């Protein structure tokens, strides 16, 4: 009996084991096709691909890092991208820009390599593909070295990288004797009445003899400066490796004594003191874009597209005795598509292969009239042999801007006096301080903004696709500038860097550079 039970138990155990061995293996679970990362682009030719974070990743990074830290990192990585892009363009290598995702590269021998960057911690990456080898990835800081290694580029020589930072000592300038003052302090004269006669002298006119101001008539002389000058200023934020907000500006101007005879001067405020007057006319063009032009604008929490084109007529009165410079100006033009911003930016971007076509200009601020009036006053706080310091204030009202500002600026170097001294004889106005002038100038300004048409749209045409509301505007804005200048004989050049704090609630700070050229006689 026990033998029979044991035999039956052994047979049952063998049956169970045999059933387990004959059962087919279960297939491994597969992911649904919708869960796979979609391949964004396929490359078969050599390319240098610059990968940027997408909007979802940008929002995540901004929350994690904060706006200031994120944008500082974004600018830094953008600057490194710019260096690598310039190196690629120098050697005529194809470049491409896109956002994080999955990319496919096919080599000459048919090998397929898929790279998925959607889960990387550092969103800014460069993929270098020479067409025959496996593509390589690098951070922006290492992009130049990887680019040179993959494409076997000749390294730049030390001579190419040489920078000149040797210190130069300023020549000693001997202070000359100050010419005697032509006018006594009027307030100390007896019998002074409120009657003032202002004589305006044009180049070539003979000055009449001095009047007796103690007789109750005060005579002041305004000399029209005989100087002529052409100047050109070019602003662009590419000098700061960005492409947003105030992205480009051009000013072309002309100063001449003949302009002072225009009847338009009746609209300007004159400085009724002994002064030297300069009159100028200039053409101004400006372009403004959202944070990025590579995608259609979100139409919220961003700057709208805008373009301005206007003429500015200005008059400057310099009173060196009291240390005051008075500026008044009248501006007239257009804002909107008539200012040709869309045509100019798209034309420029289309001529540079590495630039993407700007998207969204059809949403720009609509056509409207620009009429503005500006008044500015500068007061000289300090004057030394090689230094001048000014306090300044200004007010602007009109359809383009309504704002007020105050600030301080200074200049250091060897240069002609900022305020033209009152001459003993007219020909002294044509004398130059020296053949060679150079120095550094900079300033800080605080602006109180009432209205900005480039953000809020024009006053007359309200049919805008997108414009910011009044409660979205920053009413207090800080601005700074720092630059170098050099003049030799009739020619001058300047290089400056500008800073502007956020102009609207969700905006960010902005930098741009300026190159200025002038020719005077």
């Amino acid at each position: 009996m026990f033998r029979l039970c044991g035999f039956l138990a052994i047979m049952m155990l063998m049956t169970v084991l045999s059933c387990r061995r004959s059962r087919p293996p279960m297939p491994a679970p597969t992911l649904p096709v919708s869960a796979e990362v979609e391949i964004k682009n396929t490359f078969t030719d050599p390319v240098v691909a610059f990968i940027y974070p997408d909007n979802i990743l940008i929002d995540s990074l901004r929350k994690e890092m904060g706006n200031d830290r994120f944008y500082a990192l974004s600018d830094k990585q953008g600057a490194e991208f710019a260096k690598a892009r310039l190196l690629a363009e120098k050697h005529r290598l194809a470049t491409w820009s896109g956002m994080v995702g999955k990319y496919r590269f096919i080599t000459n021998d048919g090998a397929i390599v898929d790279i998925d960057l959607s889960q990387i911690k550092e969103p800014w990456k460069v993929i270098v593909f020479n067409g025959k080898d496996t593509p390589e990835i690098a951070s922006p800081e290492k992009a130049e070295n990887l680019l040179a290694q993959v494409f076997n580029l000749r390294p730049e020589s030390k001579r190419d990288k040489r920078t000149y930072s040797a210190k130069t000592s300023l020549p000693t300038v001997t202070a000359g004797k100050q010419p005697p003052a032509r006018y006594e302090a009027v307030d100390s004269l007896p019998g002074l009445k409120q009657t003032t006669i202002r004589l305006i002298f044009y180049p070539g006119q003979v000055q009449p003899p001095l009047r007796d101001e103690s007789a109750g008539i005060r005579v002041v002389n305004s000399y029209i400066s005989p100087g002529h000058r052409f100047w050109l200023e070019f602003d662009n934020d590419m000098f700061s490796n960005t492409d947003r907000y105030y992205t480009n500006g051009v000013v072309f101007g002309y100063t001449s004594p003949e302009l002072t005879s225009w009847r338009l001067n009746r609209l300007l405020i004159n400085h009724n003191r002994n002064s030297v007057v300069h009159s100028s006319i200039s053409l101004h063009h400006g372009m403004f874009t959202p944070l990025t032009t590579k995608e259609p604008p979100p139409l919220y929490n961003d700057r709208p597209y805008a373009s301005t084109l206007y003429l500015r007529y200005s008059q400057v009165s310099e009173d060196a005795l009291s240390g005051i410079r008075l500026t008044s100006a009248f501006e007239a033009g257009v804002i909107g598509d008539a200012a040709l911003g869309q045509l100019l930016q798209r034309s420029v971007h289309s001529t540079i292969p590495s630039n993407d076509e700007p998207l969204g200009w059809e949403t720009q601020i609509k056509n409207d009239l620009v009429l503005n009036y500006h008044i500015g006053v500068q007061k000289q706080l300090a004057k030394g042999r090689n230094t001048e310091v000014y306090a300044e204030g200004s007010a602007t009202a009109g359809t383009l801007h309504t704002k007020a500002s105050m600030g301080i600026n200074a200049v250091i170097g060897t240069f002609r006096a900022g305020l033209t001294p009152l001459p003993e004889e007219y020909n002294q106005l044509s004398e130059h301080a020296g053949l060679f002038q150079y120095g550094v100038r900079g300033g800080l300004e605080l602006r109180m903004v009432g209205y900005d048409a480039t953000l809020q749209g024009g006053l007359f045409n309200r049919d805008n696709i997108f414009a910011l509301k009044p409660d979205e505007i920053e009413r207090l804005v800080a601005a700074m500038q720092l630059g170098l200048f050099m003049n030799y004989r009739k020619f001058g050049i300047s290089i400056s860097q500008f800073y502007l704090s956020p102009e609207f609630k969700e905006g960010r700070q902005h930098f741009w550079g300026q190159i200025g050229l002038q020719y005077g006689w």
Side-chain angles (χ1 to χ4, degrees):
M1 184 67 180
F2 289 107
R3 289 181 180 179
L4 179 59
C5 292
F7 177 76
L8 291 175
I10 293 174
M11 290 298 293
M12 292 177 65
L13 179 61
M14 293 178 64
T15 301
V16 172
L17 292 176
S18 64
C19 290
R20 293 185 60 182
R21 284 194 299 268
S22 62
R23 182 176 298 176
M26 294 293 293
T30 58
L31 294 175
V33 177
S34 59
E36 296 181 358
V37 179
E38 180 183 358
I39 295 177
K40 289 191 173 185
N41 287 85
T42 300
F43 301 93
T44 58
D45 298 322
V47 67
V48 181
F50 297 89
I51 310 301
Y52 295 82
D54 58 16
N55 291 334
I56 297 177
L57 187 53
I58 288 176
D59 291 340
S60 176
L61 291 173
R62 287 175 59 183
K63 292 179 181 178
E64 180 181 349
M65 303 174 62
N67 285 343
D68 292 341
R69 291 181 59 196
F70 168 76
Y71 286 122
L73 177 62
S74 177
D75 287 345
K76 178 183 177 182
Q77 305 294 53
E80 297 296 337
F81 272 6
K83 295 177 183 178
R85 198 184 299 273
L86 289 175
L87 180 60
E89 292 176 354
K90 178 180 179 181
H91 294 276
R92 299 184 178 181
L93 301 175
T95 60
W96 183 89
S97 299
M99 296 185 179
V100 293
K102 189 175 183 179
Y103 298 92
R104 174 165 292 176
F105 298 85
I106 303 177
T107 64
N108 295 340
D109 56 6
I112 299 177
V113 181
D114 291 342
I115 297 179
D116 185 5
L117 300 177
S118 59
Q119 302 299 325
I120 60 175
K121 294 183 179 180
E122 299 177 4
W124 289 271
K125 289 292 183 182
V126 177
I127 304 177
V128 181
F129 179 54
N130 61 8
K132 57 183 179 180
D133 299 320
T134 301
E136 298 192 39
I137 308 173
S139 61
E141 294 82 2
K142 299 180 180 179
E144 283 187 284
N145 293 335
L146 179 61
L147 190 61
Q149 178 183 350
V150 171
F151 287 99
N152 296 320
L153 303 181
R154 180 181 63 86
E156 295 183 7
S157 63
K158 293 183 178 180
R159 183 176 181 179
D160 296 333
K161 294 185 177 181
R162 184 180 304 169
T163 58
Y164 298 92
S165 58
K167 296 182 179 180
T168 57
S169 57
L170 301 180
T172 303
V173 179
T174 304
K177 295 182 178 180
Q178 297 293 330
R182 295 192 55 187
Y183 302 98
E184 299 176 8
V186 177
D187 294 338
S188 63
L189 297 177
L192 179 65
K193 297 181 180 180
Q194 298 300 320
T195 303
T196 301
I197 296 178
R198 180 170 178 253
L199 303 180
I200 302 178
F201 299 104
Y202 287 83
Q205 288 185 332
V206 179
Q207 178 180 332
L210 295 179
R211 267 68 166 183
D212 182 10
E213 295 189 0
S214 63
I217 298 178
R218 178 188 175 195
V219 179
V220 296
N221 295 339
S222 288
Y223 295 86
I224 307 303
S225 172
H228 296 73
R229 183 171 67 102
F230 282 106
W231 79 90
L232 175 67
E233 294 174 351
F234 175 69
D235 297 343
N236 202 291
D237 60 347
M238 69 178 180
F239 301 118
S240 302
N241 297 304
T242 59
D243 189 13
R244 58 175 177 259
Y245 299 167
Y246 174 56
T247 187
N248 187 82
V250 178
V251 178
F252 180 69
Y254 174 58
T255 300
S256 171
E258 289 80 12
L259 298 175
T260 311
S261 62
W262 288 13
R263 292 189 176 182
L264 194 59
N265 284 283
R266 298 178 181 179
L267 300 176
L268 303 179
I269 298 178
N270 297 307
H271 183 50
N272 291 323
R273 296 287 298 272
N274 300 304
S275 60
V276 178
V277 178
H278 311 260
S279 298
S280 305
I281 187 170
S282 53
L283 180 65
H284 296 243
H285 186 268
M287 287 189 289
F288 306 83
T289 69
L291 184 64
T292 178
T293 61
K294 298 178 181 179
E295 297 177 3
L299 304 183
Y300 68 94
N301 294 338
D302 206 346
R303 194 185 229 289
Y305 277 95
S307 180
T308 59
L309 179 64
Y310 58 88
L311 278 171
R312 173 187 172 100
Y313 181 82
S314 63
Q315 188 175 99
V316 178
S317 301
E318 298 177 351
D319 181 4
L321 293 178
S322 58
I324 292 177
R325 177 189 290 114
L326 175 66
T327 302
S328 56
F330 181 77
E331 300 166 348
V334 294
I335 181 174
D337 188 55
L340 305 178
Q342 175 180 356
L343 175 64
L344 291 175
Q345 189 177 50
R346 286 183 172 176
S347 300
V348 171
H349 277 234
S350 64
T351 59
I352 303 177
S354 60
N355 280 355
D356 299 300
E357 180 181 359
L359 303 176
W361 266 105
E362 63 276 4
T363 66
Q364 68 175 307
I365 298 297
K366 296 298 182 180
N367 289 331
D368 210 334
L369 180 66
V370 168
L371 285 175
N372 257 48
Y373 196 90
H374 170 84
I375 299 176
V377 179
Q378 288 184 311
K379 171 62 178 177
Q380 192 173 71
L381 301 179
K383 177 178 173 58
R385 182 189 303 177
N386 299 108
T387 306
E388 291 183 359
V389 181
Y390 296 86
E392 60 182 13
S394 66
T396 303
T399 64
L400 181 59
H401 294 114
T402 297
K403 62 184 180 180
S405 67
M406 56 184 178
I408 188 169
N409 64 76
V411 57
I412 301 174
T414 299
F415 51 88
R416 188 173 183 175
L419 298 176
T420 306
L422 204 65
E424 285 288 322
E425 297 179 1
Y426 210 114
N427 57 10
Q428 291 178 346
L429 290 175
S430 301
E431 296 178 357
H432 298 284
L435 296 178
F436 190 49
Q437 303 174 53
Y438 52 92
V440 180
R441 62 166 58 97
L444 173 64
E445 185 179 76
L446 194 62
R447 302 174 183 173
M448 291 149 282
V449 180
Y451 188 83
D452 188 342
T454 66
L455 294 170
Q456 301 172 256
L459 285 177
F460 304 106
N461 188 353
R462 293 291 186 174
D463 188 22
N464 294 298
I465 297 176
F466 170 59
L468 294 179
K469 299 177 181 178
D471 58 356
E472 295 177 305
I473 305 298
E474 287 286 0
R475 299 301 178 184
L476 202 60
V477 178
M480 290 188 294
Q481 63 167 317
L482 181 65
L484 306 173
F485 68 91
M486 181 179 68
N487 298 334
Y488 181 72
R489 294 184 181 271
K490 298 180 179 181
F491 298 92
I493 185 172
S494 62
I495 302 175
S496 304
Q497 179 72 28
F498 290 79
Y499 163 82
L500 189 65
S501 66
E503 297 179 275
F504 55 98
K505 301 297 183 183
E506 297 297 327
R508 59 151 307 178
Q509 59 187 5
H510 186 45
F511 295 87
W512 70 91
Q514 181 187 93
I515 296 178
L517 301 172
Q518 71 172 7
Y519 175 79
W521 68 98

